[in-house]
Amino acid sequence: MSKETRAKEETPIVDWVAFDWRKAEQTVYRLQKRISKAKERGNIQGAHNLERKLMASYSGRMLAVRKVTQDNQ
């Protein structure tokens, strides 16, 4: 099974209106805060790993799509 096929299977189908946007924003905010603190400490590898985690997170992707489709109109 390819990586792309696994990603499609693991991605839950969520109703756009019923999605908990507040929780997603909190999750992304916490990750961004952890990235910032890691960079302040000089932990570049830790910050890089957290950035990768943020990019792969479902909440991060949902918020990015919302920003492009709704907020940037």
Side-chain angles (χ1 to χ4, degrees), residues 31-57:
L31 267 171
Q32 289 173 332
K33 197 170 180 180
R34 286 177 64 193
I35 292 167
S36 175
K37 285 184 178 183
K39 286 184 178 182
E40 285 175 6
R41 287 191 309 266
N43 186 359
I44 303 303
Q45 186 60 46
H48 183 68
N49 291 339
L50 287 167
E51 287 169 347
R52 227 183 281 149
K53 186 174 187 169
L54 176 60
M55 288 187 291
S57 75

mmCIF file of all heavy atoms in Angstrom, residues 31-57:
data_model
loop_
_atom_site.group_PDB
_atom_site.id
_atom_site.type_symbol
_atom_site.label_atom_id
_atom_site.label_comp_id
_atom_site.label_asym_id
_atom_site.label_seq_id
_atom_site.Cartn_x
_atom_site.Cartn_y
_atom_site.Cartn_z
ATOM 1 N N LEU A 31 0.905 24.078 19.214
ATOM 2 C CA LEU A 31 2.071 23.620 18.456
ATOM 3 C C LEU A 31 2.954 24.791 18.046
ATOM 4 O O LEU A 31 4.183 24.716 18.132
ATOM 5 C CB LEU A 31 1.623 22.846 17.218
ATOM 6 C CG LEU A 31 1.499 21.336 17.374
ATOM 7 C CD1 LEU A 31 0.848 20.730 16.154
ATOM 8 C CD2 LEU A 31 2.840 20.699 17.625
ATOM 9 N N GLN A 32 2.340 25.889 17.602
ATOM 10 C CA GLN A 32 3.115 27.063 17.210
ATOM 11 C C GLN A 32 3.874 27.639 18.395
ATOM 12 O O GLN A 32 5.021 28.080 18.261
ATOM 13 C CB GLN A 32 2.201 28.120 16.605
ATOM 14 C CG GLN A 32 1.667 27.740 15.244
ATOM 15 C CD GLN A 32 0.628 28.711 14.732
ATOM 16 O OE1 GLN A 32 -0.079 29.362 15.509
ATOM 17 N NE2 GLN A 32 0.489 28.789 13.414
ATOM 18 N N LYS A 33 3.261 27.603 19.559
ATOM 19 C CA LYS A 33 3.911 28.101 20.771
ATOM 20 C C LYS A 33 5.108 27.218 21.141
ATOM 21 O O LYS A 33 6.165 27.724 21.511
ATOM 22 C CB LYS A 33 2.889 28.114 21.904
ATOM 23 C CG LYS A 33 3.268 28.950 23.081
ATOM 24 C CD LYS A 33 2.081 29.070 24.018
ATOM 25 C CE LYS A 33 2.428 29.900 25.221
ATOM 26 N NZ LYS A 33 1.305 30.035 26.135
ATOM 27 N N ARG A 34 4.933 25.900 20.998
ATOM 28 C CA ARG A 34 6.037 24.979 21.276
ATOM 29 C C ARG A 34 7.187 25.197 20.301
ATOM 30 O O ARG A 34 8.363 25.139 20.673
ATOM 31 C CB ARG A 34 5.551 23.536 21.200
ATOM 32 C CG ARG A 34 4.697 23.115 22.381
ATOM 33 C CD ARG A 34 4.175 21.714 22.216
ATOM 34 N NE ARG A 34 5.253 20.742 22.203
ATOM 35 C CZ ARG A 34 5.100 19.467 21.831
ATOM 36 N NH1 ARG A 34 3.924 19.018 21.445
ATOM 37 N NH2 ARG A 34 6.132 18.645 21.842
ATOM 38 N N ILE A 35 6.863 25.466 19.032
ATOM 39 C CA ILE A 35 7.892 25.739 18.024
ATOM 40 C C ILE A 35 8.667 26.995 18.406
ATOM 41 O O ILE A 35 9.903 27.029 18.373
ATOM 42 C CB ILE A 35 7.268 25.891 16.619
ATOM 43 C CG1 ILE A 35 6.709 24.544 16.141
ATOM 44 C CG2 ILE A 35 8.273 26.439 15.619
ATOM 45 C CD1 ILE A 35 5.801 24.647 14.931
ATOM 46 N N SER A 36 7.945 28.034 18.786
ATOM 47 C CA SER A 36 8.566 29.295 19.166
ATOM 48 C C SER A 36 9.502 29.112 20.355
ATOM 49 O O SER A 36 10.634 29.621 20.367
ATOM 50 C CB SER A 36 7.479 30.316 19.498
ATOM 51 O OG SER A 36 8.036 31.503 19.971
ATOM 52 N N LYS A 37 9.051 28.377 21.371
ATOM 53 C CA LYS A 37 9.882 28.160 22.560
ATOM 54 C C LYS A 37 11.121 27.336 22.235
ATOM 55 O O LYS A 37 12.206 27.606 22.760
ATOM 56 C CB LYS A 37 9.067 27.471 23.653
ATOM 57 C CG LYS A 37 8.092 28.393 24.333
ATOM 58 C CD LYS A 37 7.368 27.697 25.467
ATOM 59 C CE LYS A 37 6.435 28.653 26.161
ATOM 60 N NZ LYS A 37 5.762 28.024 27.319
ATOM 61 N N ALA A 38 10.967 26.350 21.356
ATOM 62 C CA ALA A 38 12.115 25.537 20.961
ATOM 63 C C ALA A 38 13.155 26.393 20.241
ATOM 64 O O ALA A 38 14.355 26.251 20.468
ATOM 65 C CB ALA A 38 11.667 24.383 20.073
ATOM 66 N N LYS A 39 12.700 27.301 19.388
ATOM 67 C CA LYS A 39 13.629 28.181 18.678
ATOM 68 C C LYS A 39 14.317 29.148 19.630
ATOM 69 O O LYS A 39 15.501 29.442 19.480
ATOM 70 C CB LYS A 39 12.902 28.944 17.572
ATOM 71 C CG LYS A 39 12.566 28.071 16.384
ATOM 72 C CD LYS A 39 11.945 28.855 15.258
ATOM 73 C CE LYS A 39 11.669 27.962 14.076
ATOM 74 N NZ LYS A 39 11.103 28.693 12.943
ATOM 75 N N GLU A 40 13.579 29.656 20.621
ATOM 76 C CA GLU A 40 14.172 30.560 21.615
ATOM 77 C C GLU A 40 15.280 29.857 22.395
ATOM 78 O O GLU A 40 16.287 30.467 22.735
ATOM 79 C CB GLU A 40 13.106 31.063 22.586
ATOM 80 C CG GLU A 40 12.187 32.110 22.015
ATOM 81 C CD GLU A 40 11.073 32.490 22.981
ATOM 82 O OE1 GLU A 40 11.077 32.017 24.135
ATOM 83 O OE2 GLU A 40 10.188 33.261 22.565
ATOM 84 N N ARG A 41 15.074 28.570 22.699
ATOM 85 C CA ARG A 41 16.067 27.793 23.435
ATOM 86 C C ARG A 41 17.248 27.399 22.554
ATOM 87 O O ARG A 41 18.252 26.899 23.052
ATOM 88 C CB ARG A 41 15.431 26.520 24.005
ATOM 89 C CG ARG A 41 14.504 26.742 25.168
ATOM 90 C CD ARG A 41 14.125 25.420 25.830
ATOM 91 N NE ARG A 41 13.643 24.429 24.892
ATOM 92 C CZ ARG A 41 12.369 24.212 24.591
ATOM 93 N NH1 ARG A 41 11.432 24.924 25.170
ATOM 94 N NH2 ARG A 41 12.019 23.272 23.732
ATOM 95 N N GLY A 42 17.101 27.579 21.252
ATOM 96 C CA GLY A 42 18.158 27.188 20.327
ATOM 97 C C GLY A 42 18.051 25.741 19.905
ATOM 98 O O GLY A 42 18.982 25.189 19.322
ATOM 99 N N ASN A 43 16.942 25.096 20.184
ATOM 100 C CA ASN A 43 16.716 23.706 19.821
ATOM 101 C C ASN A 43 16.169 23.657 18.394
ATOM 102 O O ASN A 43 14.969 23.497 18.173
ATOM 103 C CB ASN A 43 15.743 23.058 20.818
ATOM 104 C CG ASN A 43 15.567 21.580 20.578
ATOM 105 O OD1 ASN A 43 16.143 21.011 19.661
ATOM 106 N ND2 ASN A 43 14.747 20.960 21.410
ATOM 107 N N ILE A 44 17.054 23.788 17.428
ATOM 108 C CA ILE A 44 16.661 23.864 16.031
ATOM 109 C C ILE A 44 16.041 22.547 15.553
ATOM 110 O O ILE A 44 15.012 22.551 14.871
ATOM 111 C CB ILE A 44 17.868 24.240 15.143
ATOM 112 C CG1 ILE A 44 18.476 25.568 15.604
ATOM 113 C CG2 ILE A 44 17.460 24.311 13.675
ATOM 114 C CD1 ILE A 44 17.516 26.724 15.613
ATOM 115 N N GLN A 45 16.657 21.413 15.936
ATOM 116 C CA GLN A 45 16.128 20.117 15.497
ATOM 117 C C GLN A 45 14.746 19.865 16.099
ATOM 118 O O GLN A 45 13.846 19.380 15.417
ATOM 119 C CB GLN A 45 17.087 18.984 15.891
ATOM 120 C CG GLN A 45 16.655 17.634 15.333
ATOM 121 C CD GLN A 45 16.589 17.619 13.820
ATOM 122 O OE1 GLN A 45 17.497 18.086 13.144
ATOM 123 N NE2 GLN A 45 15.514 17.095 13.269
ATOM 124 N N GLY A 46 14.558 20.216 17.356
ATOM 125 C CA GLY A 46 13.250 20.058 17.993
ATOM 126 C C GLY A 46 12.200 20.922 17.318
ATOM 127 O O GLY A 46 11.066 20.482 17.090
ATOM 128 N N ALA A 47 12.577 22.159 16.986
ATOM 129 C CA ALA A 47 11.654 23.062 16.299
ATOM 130 C C ALA A 47 11.303 22.504 14.924
ATOM 131 O O ALA A 47 10.141 22.547 14.504
ATOM 132 C CB ALA A 47 12.268 24.449 16.165
ATOM 133 N N HIS A 48 12.291 21.964 14.239
ATOM 134 C CA HIS A 48 12.057 21.395 12.909
ATOM 135 C C HIS A 48 11.086 20.212 12.993
ATOM 136 O O HIS A 48 10.166 20.089 12.174
ATOM 137 C CB HIS A 48 13.380 20.958 12.284
ATOM 138 C CG HIS A 48 13.253 20.429 10.898
ATOM 139 N ND1 HIS A 48 12.904 21.218 9.832
ATOM 140 C CD2 HIS A 48 13.406 19.174 10.405
ATOM 141 C CE1 HIS A 48 12.857 20.472 8.741
ATOM 142 N NE2 HIS A 48 13.162 19.228 9.067
ATOM 143 N N ASN A 49 11.274 19.371 13.999
ATOM 144 C CA ASN A 49 10.381 18.221 14.183
ATOM 145 C C ASN A 49 8.961 18.681 14.486
ATOM 146 O O ASN A 49 7.990 18.110 13.986
ATOM 147 C CB ASN A 49 10.886 17.311 15.295
ATOM 148 C CG ASN A 49 12.158 16.583 14.916
ATOM 149 O OD1 ASN A 49 12.472 16.428 13.739
ATOM 150 N ND2 ASN A 49 12.908 16.156 15.914
ATOM 151 N N LEU A 50 8.819 19.714 15.312
ATOM 152 C CA LEU A 50 7.496 20.244 15.639
ATOM 153 C C LEU A 50 6.840 20.881 14.410
ATOM 154 O O LEU A 50 5.629 20.776 14.217
ATOM 155 C CB LEU A 50 7.585 21.250 16.777
ATOM 156 C CG LEU A 50 7.856 20.645 18.156
ATOM 157 C CD1 LEU A 50 8.233 21.739 19.145
ATOM 158 C CD2 LEU A 50 6.655 19.862 18.650
ATOM 159 N N GLU A 51 7.642 21.554 13.586
ATOM 160 C CA GLU A 51 7.108 22.142 12.354
ATOM 161 C C GLU A 51 6.576 21.046 11.435
ATOM 162 O O GLU A 51 5.510 21.201 10.826
ATOM 163 C CB GLU A 51 8.195 22.948 11.635
ATOM 164 C CG GLU A 51 8.527 24.248 12.325
ATOM 165 C CD GLU A 51 9.769 24.917 11.772
ATOM 166 O OE1 GLU A 51 10.535 24.280 11.005
ATOM 167 O OE2 GLU A 51 9.980 26.090 12.118
ATOM 168 N N ARG A 52 7.318 19.949 11.354
ATOM 169 C CA ARG A 52 6.867 18.829 10.542
ATOM 170 C C ARG A 52 5.559 18.252 11.095
ATOM 171 O O ARG A 52 4.647 17.912 10.343
ATOM 172 C CB ARG A 52 7.947 17.749 10.513
ATOM 173 C CG ARG A 52 8.193 17.260 9.125
ATOM 174 C CD ARG A 52 9.199 16.159 9.048
ATOM 175 N NE ARG A 52 10.556 16.710 9.147
ATOM 176 C CZ ARG A 52 11.577 16.076 9.682
ATOM 177 N NH1 ARG A 52 11.427 14.883 10.194
ATOM 178 N NH2 ARG A 52 12.758 16.622 9.717
ATOM 179 N N LYS A 53 5.488 18.172 12.416
ATOM 180 C CA LYS A 53 4.272 17.662 13.063
ATOM 181 C C LYS A 53 3.084 18.579 12.773
ATOM 182 O O LYS A 53 1.974 18.114 12.519
ATOM 183 C CB LYS A 53 4.507 17.558 14.568
ATOM 184 C CG LYS A 53 3.393 16.927 15.325
ATOM 185 C CD LYS A 53 3.767 16.730 16.783
ATOM 186 C CE LYS A 53 2.690 15.950 17.484
ATOM 187 N NZ LYS A 53 3.104 15.508 18.810
ATOM 188 N N LEU A 54 3.319 19.885 12.795
ATOM 189 C CA LEU A 54 2.256 20.849 12.502
ATOM 190 C C LEU A 54 1.767 20.700 11.066
ATOM 191 O O LEU A 54 0.565 20.708 10.805
ATOM 192 C CB LEU A 54 2.735 22.276 12.765
ATOM 193 C CG LEU A 54 1.773 23.399 12.425
ATOM 194 C CD1 LEU A 54 0.483 23.270 13.230
ATOM 195 C CD2 LEU A 54 2.419 24.746 12.689
ATOM 196 N N MET A 55 2.694 20.554 10.136
ATOM 197 C CA MET A 55 2.304 20.414 8.734
ATOM 198 C C MET A 55 1.526 19.132 8.484
ATOM 199 O O MET A 55 0.662 19.080 7.609
ATOM 200 C CB MET A 55 3.534 20.464 7.829
ATOM 201 C CG MET A 55 4.130 21.841 7.722
ATOM 202 S SD MET A 55 5.443 21.944 6.503
ATOM 203 C CE MET A 55 6.727 20.982 7.254
ATOM 204 N N ALA A 56 1.805 18.097 9.247
ATOM 205 C CA ALA A 56 1.132 16.814 9.057
ATOM 206 C C ALA A 56 -0.174 16.716 9.842
ATOM 207 O O ALA A 56 -0.961 15.810 9.601
ATOM 208 C CB ALA A 56 2.051 15.677 9.483
ATOM 209 N N SER A 57 -0.405 17.666 10.754
ATOM 210 C CA SER A 57 -1.582 17.561 11.611
ATOM 211 C C SER A 57 -2.864 17.853 10.828
ATOM 212 O O SER A 57 -2.906 18.706 9.943
ATOM 213 C CB SER A 57 -1.476 18.514 12.798
ATOM 214 O OG SER A 57 -1.721 19.842 12.407
#
